[in-house]
Structure formats: C-alpha cells, structure tokens
Amino acid sequence: MQNNNIWSHRWTFILAAVGSAVGLGNLWKFPYITGEYGGGAFVLVYLITIFLIGVPVFMAEAMLGRKSRKSPVDGVTKLARENGASPLWGSVGIMGAFTGVLILSFYSVIAGWAIHYFVRFASGALVGIDADAAGAELGALFASAGSLTIYHTIFMLATMLIIGLGVHKGLERGVNVLLPLLFVMLFVVAIYAAMNGDFAAAASFLFTFDLSKLSLEGWLAALGHAFFTLSLGMGSIFVYGSYMSSESSLAKTAVTVALLDTAVALVAGLAIFSLIFGNGLEASQGPGLLFVSLPLAFAEMPGSAFFGAFFMLLVLFAALSSSISILEPIVAFFVSRGRSRVLTTLVCGAGVWLVGMLTVLSFNHWAGFTPLYDWTLFDIFDKLTSKVTLPLGGVMLSLFAAWVLTKDALVAQIPNATVRQIWVLLARFVAPLGVTFVMLTALNVPQLWALVAAIAFVGAVSVLQLIASGRRRDSQV
Ligand code: TRP
C-alpha cells in the first residue's frame, strides 16, 4: 500500500467524513422532513437511530474500507473471498453505485438552488425581504426549468472537477478551514433567527417527544434519514475508510462524526423553525423550507447581502464536500478496473446530470407527473434511496463486517474488548433487526415491490459482474 493513498493526518479522515456527512442532508433535508413528519417524535426516532444503528454501521463501513483498501465492490468481494464467503456480497457495492447515481442526481439540483440564492443575495435583491416575497422568490425559481438546469450543471461540473483531479488533495485543506467556518456562521444565523423569530415554538416543536404523533411512514423516514445524513449505505464512508490510517479509533471517529453531524442538523433546525413560526409560515411545506426561511434570517441583518451570500457559499461548500463523496465510490469502481479517472468522471458525471434533469422537471413542467401516489420523480428517487436502498445497503455491510470477518480481524480493527463487544452486538443484531422491523411494518406495497425489484436487479448485475471477472481471470492465465 503506497503511503500517498492514506490521509496525511489522523484528523483528516474525521474531517473528510464530517465533510461528507454534513451537507444538504443537515441544512435542507432534516428541517424539511422534520416539518413534514410533525417534529419532536420524528427527531427522537432519528436520534435513536443515529446512535444505535448509524454509529455501528458507520464503523462497519469504515472498517471494511480500511481493511480492504479498495473501493466498495472490489473491497467487499475481496474480503468475502478471503473469508470463504460468497463473492456475491459485492452486490452491496453495486447497489451502492446505483443509489449514488440517484442521490447525486437530485442532490446536485438542490445544491443548485443555493447557487441561485448566492447570486440573489450578492446582488442585494433579498435585502429586507418579507415572507411573501421570499415565497414568491422560491416559486419563481422552481418555475424556471432553464435556471434550475444551469445551476444544476454548474454544481455537477464543480463536483466532477474535484473528482476528476483526485479527491483527497484539495479537499484536505478545504475541510480544515471551511467546515469550522460553516459551524460558526450557522451559530450566528441561529442566534439571529432566535432573536427575530419564535425560538420557543421552534424548541418545543423539535423537542416535544410524543411518539403517538408519528406515522409509520415517519418512523421509516427518520430511520432512512439517519443513513442519509451520516452518508451510510452506499460506499462514501467505505471509500474514505480505505484511505484511513490503521491506528485511528473507529469508535471515537464514528461517535465524533455522529455528534458533529447531529449538532449541525439540530442547530439548523432550531434556526429555521424559529423563522418559520415567527413569520407564520407552514412547517410542512416541503423541500423549499430552507430557502424560504433563510432570506428572512438575513433580511434585517446589517450587511445582509454580504452575509447572506457568504452563508450560501458555505452551504455550497458543505454540499460539495458531500457530493464528491457520493461520486467517488462510483468512479473508484471503474478506475480500479484500469479506466482513466478523467474519462470515467466525465461519463459518470454526464449520466448523473441527465438523471438530475428528471428532478429539475419535477419542480415545474412535470410537477403533475406522479406515477406512484402523489410522488413526483424527485420524490420517488428520494424515497427509494433513503427509505429502501440506503438502509438495506448499510445493514448488509454491517452484517458482513460483523459476521464474516474473523475474530482476529475484528480485534485488529477494534482493539478495545468492551467497545468491540458492544459493536458486535449492535452490528450483528440491533442494526439489522431494527431496520428489518421498521421496514416490514412501515413499507407500503409499492415500496416493498421496489425493494424486491432492487434486490433482484442488483443480484442479476452482480452475477453478470462475477461471470465477467471470472472470464478476465481465465484469460490472464
Ligand atoms: N450525508 C450527506 C448530507 O447529509 C449526503 C451524502 C454524502 C450521502 N454521501 C452520501 C447520503 C452517501 C447518502 C449516502 O448532505
């Protein structure tokens, strides 16, 4: 293993993982789905899942990456072969790649909204804006497929640029400075929002835990979001783990990332709901929530154009440090098969961009196209990934790490006996059973079909892939 493929500092893995974890999931998605599913009870389930399921799955994923030093598909296949398990386990990696394409496709469109708001803040157009005008601003953005396409294109190009050049060079420096800055700015925004909005209402909305208010769908959404926000289940943490030094503690790292990620989500939630309730806006209005409320935080702030634009830039950075972690596992798969990094990035990026156009259209021309229930294509991509393939992928990785790896391997990965025993218990039983239970009770019929279809599809692709790799090996002899 060449040293230049290992992060230069122990901290860098944590920073990179936090960079991957903290993103639109915390700032955009967490507040809006919390609003949709009614607040406190949803938050409680989310928090429990993060620590009981998310942390052990995080450790499993990072461990597998670190042990195999490969990208997800090859890493799992290799470890399976070494341990006498079926190489079909590699299918988790393949499912991850497809999941990544879907997630990045809409992630980029949403990040594009932040580009729009950056431009609008910087031009001073949002100074002194009121709630009605903020709603109209967002409505106009959604209506314009052209603008959405341009922003989506810019964001995809930025992501591709970083991945095309190789992830961990510029990134190491970027996360060091910009992430702490984002935390600071977020605090400032939260304090401002608390002063200008209804902080008490926000706090009681987020922290009044009444489980009877939570629908089954909400349980699954909370569980799925725990995977989404920690970047679990599709290979991001796996790939970053493959650059992680062998000495750092998995448990400490996982807990640190989970705590930071949760803190950002909760602070963002408090800020946004203070503004929402203070301005008499609808908490359950959906994906536009962040972008309707933020301009109100800055409206009366001195230097609002500057600070608003600056904040949007930090949001964009957070999104970019996440989006690269979604694209990297996909690209790494092809690069490890001898394809050129630049070419692979171009092809994969173009594919993701194209799928992203479906999300662009979901907000305007095709807003009425709802093939399932009242779900647009964007809703379908979002629900299929967060509620089905991410939890499934995460649990498979957790099962694989905890059941297939040998005791010696586990001792090397988690030297502390108590920590290891707790992890084994969580990774072998608690995480898989928890996810299975929630899925079986909450998945509705089309989602179950999607689950079955996803498994069948991934199974078929893996078998083909296995045959192909067998042939390659034969032809080498
Ligand atoms: N966790 C990131 C966020 O909250 C998004 C993300 C990055 C992600 N990598 C992922 C989500 C892998 C699911 C799977 O914004």
Side-chain angles (χ1 to χ4, degrees), residues 20-26 103 107 227-232 234 236 261 322-323 325-326 390:
S20 167
V22 173
L24 297 175
N26 311 60
I103 292 181
Y107 204 84
F227 285 85
F228 186 96
T229 193
L230 290 179
S231 303
L232 298 175
M234 62 117 336
S236 289
D261 186 81
S322 302
S323 66
S325 76
I326 310 178
L390 287 181

Side-chain angles (χ1 to χ4, degrees), residues 17-31 107 179 182-183 225 228-231 261 264-265 268 290 314-323:
V18 173
S20 167
V22 173
L24 297 175
N26 311 60
L27 305 168
W28 159 75
K29 196 172 179 194
F30 171 74
Y107 204 84
L179 272 186
L182 174 70
F183 295 157
H225 187 63
F228 186 96
T229 193
L230 290 179
S231 303
D261 186 81
V264 174
L290 169 72
L314 292 173
V315 172
L316 277 167
F317 172 76
L320 204 56
S321 67
S322 302
S323 66

